[in-house]
Amino acid sequence: MPVRPRLGGNAQRAVKHRGSHLQIIASAGSGKTEVVAQRIAALFADGVAPREVVAFTFNEAAAAELKSRVEDRVANRLGPEFLDRLNDCFVGTIHAYCFRLLQQHVPRFETYDVLDDHGLSAFLSVESFRLELKSLNSRLFQAIREFRENINVVENELLAVDQLDGEFGGVARRYYGALEDRRLLTYGQQIAHAVRALESGEVLERIHSSLRHLVVDEYQDINPAQERLISLLASGPVELCVVGDDDQSIYHWRGADVTNIVEFEQRYGAQQYPIATNRRSRPGIIRLANRTSANIQGRIEKRMRRYRSAAAPDHSLWIAPTEREEAAAIADAVRELHQQGWRYADMAILVRTRAAYAALFEALDGVPVTTDAGIGLFQQPLALLFGRTLAFLAGISWSDKAHGYGENVTLDGLVKAYASEFGLKAGSRRKVRSLLKAWRSEVENPTRPANLVGDFYRLLEACGVLEWDPEDPEQIARLGTLASCSRILADFESVRRRSRPDPDTPGEQIGGPDRGSVFFFRLATFVQHYAHGAYEGFDGEDDIEINAVTLTTVHRAKGLEWPIVFVPSLTTNRFPSSRTGKARTWFVPRHLFDPARYEGTMNDERRLFYVAATRARDWLSLSAHRRVRKGRVRTSPFLLNLAADAQLPNRPTLPPPPEDPPGSDESDRVALSFSELAGFLLCPYAFRLRHRLRFQPQIAPELGYGKAVHHALRRVAEHHQASGTVPSDSDLERILDEEFFLPYASKPAHRLLKASARRLVDRYLKDYSDDLDRIWEVERPFELHLDNAVISGRADVILDREGGDIHALALVDYKTSRNRETEFDLQLQVYADAGRREGLDVRGAYVHDLDEADRQRVNIEGAAIEAAEERVSEAISRYRESNFEATPSRKVCGDCDMRPVCRFRAG
């Protein structure tokens, strides 16, 4: 069992504090995650129930880290058996919490989907004509960028649409109407809708029936909408604990308001505990960071203290004659450090802007480099060929540069490029030519809907991709690039084909455009003008550590650390950025928000530089160059402030060889949803294609049918709970008219599947209407904690009075003809096991076949549960070993959504 580190001073006081709101000011490297984890474990030790604690993190990676740390500290303090009670403790992002809140307490949101940034840009692209986006800017993708920046302000500041004037106000109203019609939410809307739900009173009362402690990490990055949400949740009986550092507030362009943390103590009447000891960095690095932060205006007064012993040199300040020479010196240093014994993975190069990438990539030739921001997808030859293919289909010109001059794409030229890239022989060349020619001719075909992902996969098969070796790292990287291309197609197709209600026929829906030249034209222009510069390349499979130097931006490095950190290009145009403080195009009336907060200040740049410096553990390199090519550039004031009047060398002074790395005391549990586990059990190789390489499934009209049926049954149950009666025929018709939604079904398909759903619901009510009086909870989450894994999921329905006894529960999971491959017996055994460990009296479990109106009991006796645990643990062991051996068979492969890209498919 991992050992719990001993805390002292303010850290221990923060863990023990009770009775009022609490602010923890945690300097960089001070171990705030450990403090938060021990505080949460201490709350449980004091008798606080897990359901009474909610913890917000900045992103999903931080949530996973905090959750794992909490589990370790709880097991250490309260015993491993207490882990089974953690199911009701929420640890995750604010957005995830808001989406869960909406789906649980505002039922209509159960059928909504969330648009990420790429999906939102695709949505704006395909809806641009209806929204009249060009009224804002005649250049469409410039209009999209400006609209997104302004609509983010609207959502971050919780502005009402009726406060918006002119063309922008009209576009905004049409935009929100279009999202509502298509049952889509943006990240900002999740917060706004959750705030409205809480302000209504009833939902807040339900939340406050259990919530007692709210923890907010990275509080310095909270925007006004999120602060309003937090203030609502933290009212009444709730104690709020916020953790953060105003010196590390770097997301002003997302609306973050640093005054939230600076003024928190006075605003909330909170107890403040500064934790100032940096346990990460060597003393010289801390001195540099303190000198930087001292110049930040309006900050909370504090000074980082050292913990580690000195080791010279722990930093190096230097200036190269030119940018290329600076990059070459960094590359030479990387190679020498590696020869000394440092791993490539111990080193990171952090830049302010992407302008620095080109010279660094050139100099690092031959050095393994990984990046989550530097290598765009369309820097890969395969992706450029993909883009040219779409331009050929749409009949538009293509440029290999995002904003370059386009050239026409011919069939002959395209086939030649495929032959070169894939090494095609004559027969394969002819097949590829035939497919491309047929695909181009079908663009104008009004009778055939497009199947972008499916047609792309057929082309890949003709190119021999199915023969690539999945154990060859180079082939896997190429497969990852192709999978990223499939993501672009899926993002575009999912919003272009998204259905909406038929305004002329209540209860029916209209499918989105799915064919024709306009369809392909919008796709190709989306790829050329947006995806070309926005989508990132494949960066390896999750959970596989790559021994490579990390090259990324400072913003992306937030929350991370490395033994060796280089921060280059410290010139006045790059760091601080020349864009800082420059006015943007604002359509939102300026009296409604503070534009300067979004445009940035020198204080924001100082905070960003402070974050960059404090990522380093053992050695920090800060460097600049005097010229890019011929023109002289000025050195950044941040570097000059640290160098004083010293004459800086033109190369870095390197650190000594590494000490033995400290061992980790943290557990290494695998966290999977049950649906992911079931996919792995069905075929590990298909799981690898779907979840690790991230190939996208083809879109089908019936997609979402099971979810829609479940939602209809939930609304039936809620009708019964509210009225005490079984819904009448007219009630059922109204429920299905209002609630049955299929995201990609055309009018005929929706009509057919809705009628099928009505038959299922009718048969259910005829044979099982007694369930409505027994419903204990719907969509109830569970987590099963095993030694090597945490498996999560949701039970469709939990019934009370199993066998006639109060609080004796039965789990029911529904299946239809469209989801019969799910491991329902194992699923219910996992949920029953988790429920019993949590303290629930689970006596029964049933799989309910809605098509057959048949309910089958699942064995959840002791031996069956033990066998289920053993099966899960064995699967997790294979997963941890990256054993993704295929298990092909006609049954497994027949309906597999990865079949088109699987080399092992049967039949």
Side-chain angles (χ1 to χ4, degrees):
M1 185 181 299
V3 177
R4 180 182 59 170
R6 294 180 62 87
L7 301 177
N10 279 345
Q12 184 63 13
R13 295 184 188 98
V15 168
K16 293 182 175 180
H17 181 83
R18 304 289 186 273
S20 72
H21 298 313
L22 168 66
Q23 183 181 31
I24 302 173
I25 302 297
S27 295
S30 60
K32 66 182 177 64
T33 303
E34 182 62 38
V35 175
V36 172
Q38 289 202 29
R39 176 174 171 81
I40 292 174
L43 289 172
F44 297 154
D46 288 349
V48 175
R51 65 188 175 88
E52 296 177 333
V53 177
V54 167
F56 292 154
T57 62
F58 185 71
N59 55 35
E60 292 178 358
E65 180 186 2
L66 177 58
K67 192 168 187 178
S68 177
R69 193 82 63 95
V70 167
E71 289 169 354
D72 290 335
R73 300 304 167 249
V74 165
N76 186 282
R77 182 162 186 167
L78 300 173
E81 63 279 358
F82 197 92
L83 296 177
D84 299 317
R85 297 176 55 192
L86 294 184
N87 176 45
D88 287 336
C89 175
F90 178 88
V91 178
T93 66
I94 292 181
H95 295 100
Y97 178 83
C98 288
F99 194 47
R100 188 181 78 162
L101 180 152
L102 292 172
Q103 293 196 312
Q104 287 181 337
H105 299 287
V106 189
R108 70 186 180 91
F109 287 110
E110 191 174 33
T111 59
Y112 282 58
D113 291 314
V114 178
L115 286 174
D116 64 12
D117 288 341
H118 293 324
L120 177 56
S121 290
F123 176 81
L124 291 170
S125 173
V126 302
E127 293 294 322
S128 60
F129 181 77
R130 291 189 185 92
L131 301 181
E132 300 180 29
L133 273 171
K134 282 194 173 183
S135 66
L136 303 179
N137 191 311
S138 60
R139 297 170 58 190
L140 175 59
F141 285 89
Q142 181 70 8
I144 289 174
R145 186 184 68 80
E146 292 173 352
F147 177 78
R148 286 192 55 176
E149 288 183 347
N150 280 267
I151 210 68
N152 284 341
V153 170
V154 173
E155 293 172 350
N156 293 341
E157 308 291 325
L158 285 180
L159 303 179
V161 178
D162 59 14
Q163 294 177 274
L164 309 176
D165 302 323
E167 298 286 358
F168 176 68
V171 175
R173 281 181 276 275
R174 290 187 289 272
Y175 164 74
Y176 284 124
L179 288 173
E180 181 67 23
D181 280 347
R182 289 155 183 78
R183 303 197 183 192
L184 293 169
L185 288 173
T186 65
Y187 289 140
Q189 280 186 294
Q190 288 177 304
I191 307 291
H193 283 302
V195 166
R196 293 188 193 106
L198 293 172
E199 288 177 338
S200 69
E202 180 182 348
V203 172
L204 183 60
E205 185 177 345
R206 275 183 258 157
I207 296 292
H208 277 170
S209 67
S210 60
L211 180 61
R212 292 297 176 268
H213 292 272
L214 176 63
V215 180
V216 182
D217 193 15
E218 304 289 5
Y219 184 71
Q220 75 276 356
D221 294 321
I222 294 299
N223 65 37
Q226 294 165 338
E227 170 58 23
R228 175 58 179 159
L229 176 88
I230 291 166
S231 67
L232 286 166
L233 292 174
S235 61
V238 178
E239 292 182 19
L240 172 61
C241 169
V242 303
V243 187
D245 178 8
D246 56 302
D247 291 340
Q248 298 184 69
S249 179
I250 62 172
Y251 295 103
H252 63 89
W253 42 275
R254 293 180 179 173
D257 187 350
V258 72
T259 61
N260 283 326
I261 190 169
V262 172
E263 299 173 358
F264 179 87
E265 184 182 16
Q266 294 77 27
R267 200 168 65 251
Y268 280 84
Q271 175 67 50
Q272 185 185 92
Y273 290 109
I275 304 175
T277 300
N278 182 319
R279 297 172 179 270
R280 173 191 302 157
S281 304
R282 294 286 187 186
I285 299 171
I286 292 174
R287 285 195 297 272
L288 295 179
N290 279 334
R291 287 176 63 181
T292 296
S293 62
N295 292 319
I296 299 172
Q297 298 172 355
R299 65 191 288 264
I300 298 173
E301 191 60 37
K302 55 190 173 298
R303 186 175 180 83
M304 273 192 301
R305 296 193 299 267
R306 57 180 284 181
Y307 175 80
R308 299 180 63 193
S309 59
D314 57 17
H315 66 275
S316 182
L317 312 181
W318 53 285
I319 302 179
T322 68
E323 181 182 18
R324 293 186 67 178
E325 289 175 281
E326 181 190 19
I330 290 173
D332 290 344
V334 166
R335 295 184 181 98
E336 185 173 341
L337 289 166
H338 184 251
Q339 290 176 355
Q340 288 182 7
W342 296 96
R343 300 178 308 150
Y344 287 122
D346 292 332
M347 296 179 255
I349 305 171
L350 310 182
V351 300
R352 173 64 178 89
T353 67
R354 297 189 178 194
Y357 285 142
L360 289 166
F361 276 125
E362 180 183 356
L364 289 164
D365 184 41
V367 175
V369 175
T370 182
T371 176
D372 59 2
I375 300 180
L377 175 61
F378 285 86
Q379 290 178 267
Q380 305 295 331
L382 282 174
L384 291 171
L385 181 55
F386 164 78
R388 286 196 290 274
T389 303
L390 298 181
F392 165 75
L393 295 174
I396 69 169
S397 62
W398 170 262
S399 171
D400 282 351
K401 295 184 178 180
H403 303 291
Y405 178 77
E407 297 180 354
N408 291 332
V409 183
T410 66
L411 179 60
D412 288 343
L414 201 55
V415 173
K416 183 178 180 180
Y418 271 95
S420 173
E421 188 62 42
F422 291 95
L424 303 181
K425 296 182 179 179
S428 296
R429 286 177 64 136
R430 287 193 292 271
K431 189 171 184 181
V432 167
R433 174 183 287 273
S434 177
L435 281 173
L436 290 170
K437 189 175 181 180
W439 201 358
R440 173 73 178 265
S441 68
E442 288 171 355
V443 168
E444 302 289 348
N445 187 347
T447 65
R448 182 184 181 273
N451 181 2
L452 296 177
V453 174
D455 286 339
F456 179 55
Y457 289 165
R458 280 186 283 276
L459 183 60
L460 297 186
E461 182 178 2
C463 291
V465 171
L466 268 62
E467 303 307 315
W468 290 0
D469 182 0
E471 303 310 316
D472 182 336
E474 183 177 346
Q475 301 288 45
I476 282 294
R478 285 163 62 82
L479 281 173
T481 296
L482 295 172
S484 297
C485 293
S486 77
R487 162 78 188 280
I488 295 175
L489 297 177
D491 282 347
F492 176 85
E493 196 168 9
S494 65
V495 296
R496 184 68 173 169
R497 293 181 57 176
R498 187 83 179 186
S499 301
R500 58 190 173 89
D502 184 345
D504 300 322
T505 311
E508 297 191 359
Q509 67 180 45
I510 302 171
D514 62 359
R515 69 196 75 187
S517 58
V518 173
F519 182 92
F520 281 89
F521 173 80
R522 292 203 178 276
L523 168 63
T525 54
F526 170 72
V527 172
Q528 176 70 82
H529 296 288
Y530 172 78
H532 198 312
Y535 279 77
E536 295 164 5
F538 178 69
D539 193 36
E541 297 180 68
D542 293 340
D543 303 326
I544 295 180
E545 182 178 359
I546 300 173
N547 186 23
V549 177
T550 298
L551 172 58
T552 189
T553 64
V554 182
H555 283 103
R556 294 296 187 97
K558 180 72 166 64
L560 304 176
E561 60 181 69
W562 295 267
I564 303 290
V565 171
F566 297 87
V567 184
S569 291
L570 291 174
T571 65
T572 53
N573 286 332
R574 294 191 181 175
F575 207 160
S577 169
S578 59
R579 296 183 59 192
T580 297
K582 287 193 174 179
R584 300 186 189 178
T585 302
W586 297 118
F587 305 123
V588 179
R590 287 175 171 265
H591 68 275
L592 296 178
F593 76 114
D594 177 14
R597 199 172 80 244
Y598 288 84
E599 293 164 351
T601 66
M602 280 296 291
N603 276 327
D604 294 309
E605 294 294 298
R606 290 188 185 99
R607 294 185 187 102
L608 190 62
F609 183 69
Y610 173 86
V611 167
T614 54
R615 299 311 94 197
R617 292 206 297 263
D618 296 303
W619 183 76
L620 171 67
S621 164
L622 300 175
S623 63
H625 49 266
R626 301 190 189 281
R627 291 179 174 83
V628 176
R629 289 185 178 85
K630 294 183 179 180
R632 191 173 182 86
V633 294
R634 288 183 298 168
T635 303
S636 169
F638 303 151
L639 182 57
L640 293 177
N641 175 61
L642 300 177
D645 296 325
Q647 183 68 35
L648 295 181
N650 59 13
R651 298 182 69 84
T653 303
L654 301 184
E659 302 172 353
D660 293 334
S664 171
D665 67 347
E666 303 305 326
S667 65
D668 189 22
R669 298 183 192 89
V670 172
L672 292 176
S673 69
F674 183 83
S675 63
E676 291 171 333
L677 173 67
F680 180 82
L681 287 167
L682 193 64
C683 179
Y685 187 67
F687 174 93
R688 184 183 189 186
L689 292 172
R690 184 183 304 113
H691 293 291
R692 296 173 72 91
L693 297 177
R694 296 178 282 280
F695 278 100
Q696 299 299 304
Q698 301 174 61
I699 290 177
E702 67 273 15
L703 193 65
Y705 176 78
K707 179 180 177 181
V709 171
H710 290 176
H711 179 65
L713 288 173
R714 174 183 174 179
R715 299 300 278 156
V716 166
E718 288 169 345
H719 177 280
H720 179 269
Q721 290 173 337
S723 66
T725 62
V726 175
S728 65
D729 286 346
S730 61
D731 290 330
L732 283 178
E733 197 66 31
R734 176 185 54 78
I735 289 172
L736 288 171
D737 281 351
E738 295 175 355
E739 305 291 347
F740 188 80
F741 177 76
L742 297 175
Y744 307 113
S746 63
K747 180 184 283 285
H750 177 263
R751 188 182 295 142
L752 181 67
L753 292 167
K754 180 182 169 187
S756 172
R758 174 62 191 265
R759 290 192 294 272
L760 298 186
V761 174
D762 282 341
R763 294 179 67 177
Y764 177 85
L765 291 177
K766 177 183 176 183
D767 298 331
Y768 294 96
S769 60
D770 289 347
D771 284 0
L772 299 178
D773 289 316
R774 296 177 52 200
I775 290 176
W776 184 73
E777 195 167 345
V778 297
E779 294 293 327
R780 211 284 188 167
F782 284 106
E783 280 189 353
L784 176 63
H785 292 257
L786 301 177
D787 289 341
N788 62 350
V790 179
I791 308 300
S792 60
R794 290 177 180 271
D796 289 340
V797 171
I798 303 178
L799 302 179
D800 199 355
R801 303 196 302 277
E802 179 72 356
D805 295 333
I806 300 294
H807 302 312
L809 306 178
L811 311 177
V812 181
D813 246 55
Y814 301 116
K815 71 174 179 178
T816 69
S817 61
R818 294 169 178 82
N819 65 344
R820 291 186 178 176
E821 292 303 319
T822 302
E823 298 240 8
F824 283 97
D825 283 13
L826 180 63
Q827 181 178 15
L828 287 168
Q829 287 162 348
V830 166
Y831 294 171
D833 191 10
R836 286 171 176 170
R837 288 168 174 240
E838 191 180 327
L840 303 180
D841 183 8
V842 181
R843 298 189 187 178
Y846 303 91
V847 177
H848 189 110
D849 189 325
L850 291 167
D851 295 294
E852 302 297 331
D854 181 46
R855 183 172 288 182
Q856 296 291 329
R857 177 181 284 273
V858 173
N859 184 359
I860 55 171
E861 299 302 317
I865 296 296
E866 289 179 9
E869 286 187 7
E870 185 176 344
R871 189 179 178 201
V872 171
S873 293
E874 186 275 332
I876 294 299
S877 295
R878 287 189 286 123
Y879 175 86
R880 291 165 64 93
E881 295 167 359
S882 296
N883 181 351
F884 297 109
E885 183 178 353
T887 55
S889 69
R890 288 185 179 273
K891 179 180 179 182
V892 170
C893 300
D895 295 323
C896 178
D897 56 7
M898 292 294 104
R899 176 183 174 85
V901 288
C902 180
R903 67 177 305 198
F904 301 108
R905 65 193 187 194

